[in-house]
PDB file of all heavy atoms in Angstrom:
ATOM      1  N   ALA A1447      18.541  16.099  -0.031  1.00 93.00           N
ATOM      2  CA  ALA A1447      17.266  16.788  -0.058  1.00 93.00           C
ATOM      3  C   ALA A1447      16.574  16.884   1.288  1.00 93.00           C
ATOM      4  O   ALA A1447      15.914  17.804   1.561  1.00 93.00           O
ATOM      5  CB  ALA A1447      16.308  16.132  -1.064  1.00 93.00           C
ATOM      6  N   TRP A1448      16.731  15.708   2.087  1.00 95.00           N
ATOM      7  CA  TRP A1448      15.985  15.632   3.369  1.00 95.00           C
ATOM      8  C   TRP A1448      16.874  15.102   4.450  1.00 95.00           C
ATOM      9  O   TRP A1448      17.791  14.486   4.274  1.00 95.00           O
ATOM     10  CB  TRP A1448      14.832  14.591   3.160  1.00 95.00           C
ATOM     11  CG  TRP A1448      13.663  15.109   2.331  1.00 95.00           C
ATOM     12  CD1 TRP A1448      13.604  14.752   1.020  1.00 95.00           C
ATOM     13  CD2 TRP A1448      12.606  15.876   2.734  1.00 95.00           C
ATOM     14  NE1 TRP A1448      12.323  15.298   0.579  1.00 95.00           N
ATOM     15  CE2 TRP A1448      11.795  16.094   1.572  1.00 95.00           C
ATOM     16  CE3 TRP A1448      12.227  16.509   3.957  1.00 95.00           C
ATOM     17  CZ2 TRP A1448      10.595  16.839   1.625  1.00 95.00           C
ATOM     18  CZ3 TRP A1448      11.044  17.212   3.972  1.00 95.00           C
ATOM     19  CH2 TRP A1448      10.264  17.413   2.764  1.00 95.00           C
ATOM     20  N   ILE A1449      16.522  15.527   5.725  1.00 96.00           N
ATOM     21  CA  ILE A1449      17.100  14.951   6.935  1.00 96.00           C
ATOM     22  C   ILE A1449      15.832  14.550   7.789  1.00 96.00           C
ATOM     23  O   ILE A1449      14.907  15.271   7.940  1.00 96.00           O
ATOM     24  CB  ILE A1449      18.028  15.894   7.660  1.00 96.00           C
ATOM     25  CG1 ILE A1449      18.592  15.298   8.914  1.00 96.00           C
ATOM     26  CG2 ILE A1449      17.332  17.282   7.914  1.00 96.00           C
ATOM     27  CD1 ILE A1449      19.654  16.121   9.550  1.00 96.00           C
ATOM     28  N   VAL A1450      15.870  13.279   8.265  1.00 97.00           N
ATOM     29  CA  VAL A1450      14.698  12.646   8.821  1.00 97.00           C
ATOM     30  C   VAL A1450      14.980  11.961  10.184  1.00 97.00           C
ATOM     31  O   VAL A1450      16.027  11.365  10.263  1.00 97.00           O
ATOM     32  CB  VAL A1450      14.064  11.638   7.884  1.00 97.00           C
ATOM     33  CG1 VAL A1450      12.684  11.225   8.341  1.00 97.00           C
ATOM     34  CG2 VAL A1450      13.957  12.041   6.462  1.00 97.00           C
ATOM     35  N   LEU A1451      14.102  12.090  11.140  1.00 97.00           N
ATOM     36  CA  LEU A1451      14.269  11.360  12.376  1.00 97.00           C
ATOM     37  C   LEU A1451      13.075  10.454  12.613  1.00 97.00           C
ATOM     38  O   LEU A1451      11.889  10.866  12.304  1.00 97.00           O
ATOM     39  CB  LEU A1451      14.265  12.358  13.532  1.00 97.00           C
ATOM     40  CG  LEU A1451      15.414  13.491  13.586  1.00 97.00           C
ATOM     41  CD1 LEU A1451      15.166  14.324  14.871  1.00 97.00           C
ATOM     42  CD2 LEU A1451      16.701  12.958  13.420  1.00 97.00           C
ATOM     43  N   GLY A1452      13.285   9.300  13.021  1.00 98.00           N
ATOM     44  CA  GLY A1452      12.192   8.321  13.307  1.00 98.00           C
ATOM     45  C   GLY A1452      12.211   7.962  14.758  1.00 98.00           C
ATOM     46  O   GLY A1452      13.059   7.242  15.255  1.00 98.00           O
ATOM     47  N   PHE A1453      11.100   8.308  15.493  1.00 98.00           N
ATOM     48  CA  PHE A1453      11.009   8.087  16.935  1.00 98.00           C
ATOM     49  C   PHE A1453      10.035   6.971  17.227  1.00 98.00           C
ATOM     50  O   PHE A1453       9.088   6.689  16.504  1.00 98.00           O
ATOM     51  CB  PHE A1453      10.525   9.417  17.667  1.00 98.00           C
ATOM     52  CG  PHE A1453      11.470  10.546  17.683  1.00 98.00           C
ATOM     53  CD1 PHE A1453      11.348  11.504  16.634  1.00 98.00           C
ATOM     54  CD2 PHE A1453      12.385  10.705  18.681  1.00 98.00           C
ATOM     55  CE1 PHE A1453      12.225  12.613  16.600  1.00 98.00           C
ATOM     56  CE2 PHE A1453      13.215  11.818  18.596  1.00 98.00           C
ATOM     57  CZ  PHE A1453      13.137  12.731  17.693  1.00 98.00           C
ATOM     58  N   GLU A1454      10.245   6.331  18.384  1.00 97.00           N
ATOM     59  CA  GLU A1454       9.242   5.418  18.886  1.00 97.00           C
ATOM     60  C   GLU A1454       7.938   6.165  19.066  1.00 97.00           C
ATOM     61  O   GLU A1454       7.899   7.373  19.402  1.00 97.00           O
ATOM     62  CB  GLU A1454       9.675   4.785  20.181  1.00 97.00           C
ATOM     63  CG  GLU A1454       9.784   5.746  21.384  1.00 97.00           C
ATOM     64  CD  GLU A1454       9.961   5.113  22.683  1.00 97.00           C
ATOM     65  OE1 GLU A1454       9.596   3.931  22.824  1.00 97.00           O
ATOM     66  OE2 GLU A1454      10.641   5.773  23.625  1.00 97.00           O
ATOM     67  N   VAL A1455       6.799   5.506  18.868  1.00 96.00           N
ATOM     68  CA  VAL A1455       5.501   6.098  19.164  1.00 96.00           C
ATOM     69  C   VAL A1455       5.166   5.769  20.615  1.00 96.00           C
ATOM     70  O   VAL A1455       5.199   4.652  21.068  1.00 96.00           O
ATOM     71  CB  VAL A1455       4.443   5.470  18.230  1.00 96.00           C
ATOM     72  CG1 VAL A1455       3.062   5.978  18.573  1.00 96.00           C
ATOM     73  CG2 VAL A1455       4.788   5.839  16.752  1.00 96.00           C
ATOM     74  N   VAL A1456       4.812   6.773  21.349  1.00 94.00           N
ATOM     75  CA  VAL A1456       4.436   6.703  22.744  1.00 94.00           C
ATOM     76  C   VAL A1456       2.934   6.874  22.887  1.00 94.00           C
ATOM     77  O   VAL A1456       2.358   7.713  22.075  1.00 94.00           O
ATOM     78  CB  VAL A1456       5.234   7.560  23.666  1.00 94.00           C
ATOM     79  CG1 VAL A1456       6.639   7.233  23.597  1.00 94.00           C
ATOM     80  CG2 VAL A1456       5.002   9.038  23.331  1.00 94.00           C
ATOM     81  N   GLU A1457       2.226   6.239  23.811  1.00 93.00           N
ATOM     82  CA  GLU A1457       0.907   6.390  24.002  1.00 93.00           C
ATOM     83  C   GLU A1457       0.557   7.485  25.040  1.00 93.00           C
ATOM     84  O   GLU A1457       0.939   7.246  26.221  1.00 93.00           O
ATOM     85  CB  GLU A1457       0.192   5.089  24.487  1.00 93.00           C
ATOM     86  CG  GLU A1457       0.214   3.922  23.437  1.00 93.00           C
ATOM     87  CD  GLU A1457      -0.588   4.306  22.172  1.00 93.00           C
ATOM     88  OE1 GLU A1457      -1.583   4.963  22.331  1.00 93.00           O
ATOM     89  OE2 GLU A1457      -0.176   3.889  21.052  1.00 93.00           O
ATOM     90  N   GLY A1458       0.073   8.619  24.654  1.00 94.00           N
ATOM     91  CA  GLY A1458      -0.188   9.668  25.514  1.00 94.00           C
ATOM     92  C   GLY A1458      -1.052  10.722  24.985  1.00 94.00           C
ATOM     93  O   GLY A1458      -1.396  10.647  23.811  1.00 94.00           O
ATOM     94  N   ARG A1459      -1.226  11.760  25.722  1.00 95.00           N
ATOM     95  CA  ARG A1459      -2.069  12.904  25.225  1.00 95.00           C
ATOM     96  C   ARG A1459      -1.411  14.241  25.668  1.00 95.00           C
ATOM     97  O   ARG A1459      -0.484  14.234  26.522  1.00 95.00           O
ATOM     98  CB  ARG A1459      -3.435  12.838  25.882  1.00 95.00           C
ATOM     99  CG  ARG A1459      -3.469  12.878  27.421  1.00 95.00           C
ATOM    100  CD  ARG A1459      -4.831  12.950  28.027  1.00 95.00           C
ATOM    101  NE  ARG A1459      -4.686  12.856  29.532  1.00 95.00           N
ATOM    102  CZ  ARG A1459      -4.355  13.761  30.340  1.00 95.00           C
ATOM    103  NH1 ARG A1459      -4.019  14.945  29.805  1.00 95.00           N
ATOM    104  NH2 ARG A1459      -4.319  13.497  31.595  1.00 95.00           N
ATOM    105  N   SER A1460      -1.778  15.255  24.982  1.00 96.00           N
ATOM    106  CA  SER A1460      -1.234  16.565  25.399  1.00 96.00           C
ATOM    107  C   SER A1460      -1.721  16.917  26.857  1.00 96.00           C
ATOM    108  O   SER A1460      -2.762  16.515  27.286  1.00 96.00           O
ATOM    109  CB  SER A1460      -1.753  17.680  24.474  1.00 96.00           C
ATOM    110  OG  SER A1460      -1.260  17.489  23.200  1.00 96.00           O
ATOM    111  N   SER A1461      -0.800  17.567  27.569  1.00 98.00           N
ATOM    112  CA  SER A1461      -1.068  17.870  29.005  1.00 98.00           C
ATOM    113  C   SER A1461      -2.065  19.080  29.126  1.00 98.00           C
ATOM    114  O   SER A1461      -2.219  19.814  28.167  1.00 98.00           O
ATOM    115  CB  SER A1461       0.193  18.138  29.701  1.00 98.00           C
ATOM    116  OG  SER A1461       1.003  19.117  29.124  1.00 98.00           O
ATOM    117  N   ASP A1462      -2.583  19.256  30.310  1.00 98.00           N
ATOM    118  CA  ASP A1462      -3.564  20.369  30.533  1.00 98.00           C
ATOM    119  C   ASP A1462      -2.832  21.256  31.614  1.00 98.00           C
ATOM    120  O   ASP A1462      -2.486  20.852  32.745  1.00 98.00           O
ATOM    121  CB  ASP A1462      -4.837  19.735  31.093  1.00 98.00           C
ATOM    122  CG  ASP A1462      -5.911  20.784  31.490  1.00 98.00           C
ATOM    123  OD1 ASP A1462      -5.563  22.035  31.300  1.00 98.00           O
ATOM    124  OD2 ASP A1462      -6.929  20.458  31.977  1.00 98.00           O
ATOM    125  N   PHE A1463      -2.592  22.465  31.200  1.00 98.00           N
ATOM    126  CA  PHE A1463      -1.928  23.445  32.082  1.00 98.00           C
ATOM    127  C   PHE A1463      -2.856  24.294  32.852  1.00 98.00           C
ATOM    128  O   PHE A1463      -2.461  25.205  33.577  1.00 98.00           O
ATOM    129  CB  PHE A1463      -0.996  24.349  31.254  1.00 98.00           C
ATOM    130  CG  PHE A1463       0.356  23.760  30.826  1.00 98.00           C
ATOM    131  CD1 PHE A1463       0.512  22.407  30.898  1.00 98.00           C
ATOM    132  CD2 PHE A1463       1.355  24.575  30.490  1.00 98.00           C
ATOM    133  CE1 PHE A1463       1.761  21.837  30.583  1.00 98.00           C
ATOM    134  CE2 PHE A1463       2.637  24.047  30.145  1.00 98.00           C
ATOM    135  CZ  PHE A1463       2.826  22.663  30.236  1.00 98.00           C
ATOM    136  N   SER A1464      -4.144  24.147  32.714  1.00 98.00           N
ATOM    137  CA  SER A1464      -5.149  25.076  33.288  1.00 98.00           C
ATOM    138  C   SER A1464      -5.180  24.954  34.760  1.00 98.00           C
ATOM    139  O   SER A1464      -4.731  23.953  35.422  1.00 98.00           O
ATOM    140  CB  SER A1464      -6.527  24.825  32.631  1.00 98.00           C
ATOM    141  OG  SER A1464      -6.987  23.453  33.064  1.00 98.00           O
ATOM    142  N   LEU A1465      -5.769  25.908  35.479  1.00 97.00           N
ATOM    143  CA  LEU A1465      -5.903  26.015  36.906  1.00 97.00           C
ATOM    144  C   LEU A1465      -6.718  24.726  37.367  1.00 97.00           C
ATOM    145  O   LEU A1465      -7.779  24.511  36.853  1.00 97.00           O
ATOM    146  CB  LEU A1465      -6.574  27.248  37.294  1.00 97.00           C
ATOM    147  CG  LEU A1465      -6.637  27.649  38.721  1.00 97.00           C
ATOM    148  CD1 LEU A1465      -5.247  27.849  39.297  1.00 97.00           C
ATOM    149  CD2 LEU A1465      -7.478  28.827  38.993  1.00 97.00           C
ATOM    150  N   GLY A1466      -6.092  24.097  38.336  1.00 96.00           N
ATOM    151  CA  GLY A1466      -6.845  22.923  38.901  1.00 96.00           C
ATOM    152  C   GLY A1466      -6.505  21.648  38.184  1.00 96.00           C
ATOM    153  O   GLY A1466      -7.039  20.542  38.551  1.00 96.00           O
ATOM    154  N   SER A1467      -5.753  21.594  37.114  1.00 98.00           N
ATOM    155  CA  SER A1467      -5.512  20.390  36.327  1.00 98.00           C
ATOM    156  C   SER A1467      -4.715  19.321  37.178  1.00 98.00           C
ATOM    157  O   SER A1467      -3.760  19.699  37.901  1.00 98.00           O
ATOM    158  CB  SER A1467      -4.748  20.756  35.084  1.00 98.00           C
ATOM    159  OG  SER A1467      -4.190  19.554  34.451  1.00 98.00           O
ATOM    160  N   SER A1468      -5.121  18.092  37.081  1.00 97.00           N
ATOM    161  CA  SER A1468      -4.420  17.044  37.776  1.00 97.00           C
ATOM    162  C   SER A1468      -3.173  16.658  36.980  1.00 97.00           C
ATOM    163  O   SER A1468      -2.378  15.830  37.557  1.00 97.00           O
ATOM    164  CB  SER A1468      -5.302  15.885  37.839  1.00 97.00           C
ATOM    165  OG  SER A1468      -5.643  15.352  36.443  1.00 97.00           O
ATOM    166  N   ASP A1469      -2.905  17.253  35.835  1.00 98.00           N
ATOM    167  CA  ASP A1469      -1.649  16.972  35.161  1.00 98.00           C
ATOM    168  C   ASP A1469      -0.425  17.697  35.684  1.00 98.00           C
ATOM    169  O   ASP A1469       0.681  17.344  35.462  1.00 98.00           O
ATOM    170  CB  ASP A1469      -1.835  17.373  33.671  1.00 98.00           C
ATOM    171  CG  ASP A1469      -2.743  16.452  32.936  1.00 98.00           C
ATOM    172  OD1 ASP A1469      -3.136  15.445  33.426  1.00 98.00           O
ATOM    173  OD2 ASP A1469      -3.084  16.820  31.818  1.00 98.00           O
ATOM    174  N   LEU A1470      -0.695  18.771  36.433  1.00 98.00           N
ATOM    175  CA  LEU A1470       0.400  19.706  36.838  1.00 98.00           C
ATOM    176  C   LEU A1470       1.477  19.104  37.621  1.00 98.00           C
ATOM    177  O   LEU A1470       2.700  19.346  37.391  1.00 98.00           O
ATOM    178  CB  LEU A1470      -0.148  20.925  37.515  1.00 98.00           C
ATOM    179  CG  LEU A1470      -1.100  21.843  36.645  1.00 98.00           C
ATOM    180  CD1 LEU A1470      -1.622  23.017  37.465  1.00 98.00           C
ATOM    181  CD2 LEU A1470      -0.294  22.393  35.381  1.00 98.00           C
ATOM    182  N   PRO A1471       1.247  18.208  38.575  1.00 97.00           N
ATOM    183  CA  PRO A1471       2.354  17.584  39.304  1.00 97.00           C
ATOM    184  C   PRO A1471       3.226  16.815  38.363  1.00 97.00           C
ATOM    185  O   PRO A1471       4.567  16.822  38.514  1.00 97.00           O
ATOM    186  CB  PRO A1471       1.657  16.667  40.316  1.00 97.00           C
ATOM    187  CG  PRO A1471       0.332  17.363  40.633  1.00 97.00           C
ATOM    188  CD  PRO A1471      -0.029  17.904  39.183  1.00 97.00           C
ATOM    189  N   ALA A1472       2.656  16.096  37.345  1.00 97.00           N
ATOM    190  CA  ALA A1472       3.496  15.361  36.453  1.00 97.00           C
ATOM    191  C   ALA A1472       4.249  16.326  35.483  1.00 97.00           C
ATOM    192  O   ALA A1472       5.444  15.971  35.192  1.00 97.00           O
ATOM    193  CB  ALA A1472       2.707  14.468  35.629  1.00 97.00           C
ATOM    194  N   VAL A1473       3.720  17.424  35.098  1.00 97.00           N
ATOM    195  CA  VAL A1473       4.328  18.383  34.303  1.00 97.00           C
ATOM    196  C   VAL A1473       5.673  18.951  35.050  1.00 97.00           C
ATOM    197  O   VAL A1473       6.645  18.949  34.461  1.00 97.00           O
ATOM    198  CB  VAL A1473       3.445  19.507  33.914  1.00 97.00           C
ATOM    199  CG1 VAL A1473       4.157  20.677  33.237  1.00 97.00           C
ATOM    200  CG2 VAL A1473       2.335  19.070  33.017  1.00 97.00           C
ATOM    201  N   VAL A1474       5.432  19.360  36.248  1.00 97.00           N
ATOM    202  CA  VAL A1474       6.492  19.905  37.043  1.00 97.00           C
ATOM    203  C   VAL A1474       7.533  18.847  37.300  1.00 97.00           C
ATOM    204  O   VAL A1474       8.771  19.085  37.116  1.00 97.00           O
ATOM    205  CB  VAL A1474       5.981  20.509  38.356  1.00 97.00           C
ATOM    206  CG1 VAL A1474       7.158  21.011  39.185  1.00 97.00           C
ATOM    207  CG2 VAL A1474       5.043  21.711  38.016  1.00 97.00           C
ATOM    208  N   GLY A1475       7.091  17.630  37.582  1.00 96.00           N
ATOM    209  CA  GLY A1475       8.033  16.547  37.962  1.00 96.00           C
ATOM    210  C   GLY A1475       8.951  16.169  36.761  1.00 96.00           C
ATOM    211  O   GLY A1475      10.166  16.062  36.892  1.00 96.00           O
TER     212      GLY A1475
END
Side-chain angles (χ1 to χ4, degrees):
W1448 289 97
I1449 179 168
V1450 192
L1451 306 181
F1453 293 90
E1454 68 173 332
V1455 174
V1456 298
E1457 295 296 329
R1459 57 172 174 80
S1460 296
S1461 53
D1462 179 1
F1463 279 19
S1464 64
L1465 190 64
S1467 168
S1468 61
D1469 292 346
L1470 295 177
V1473 170
V1474 175

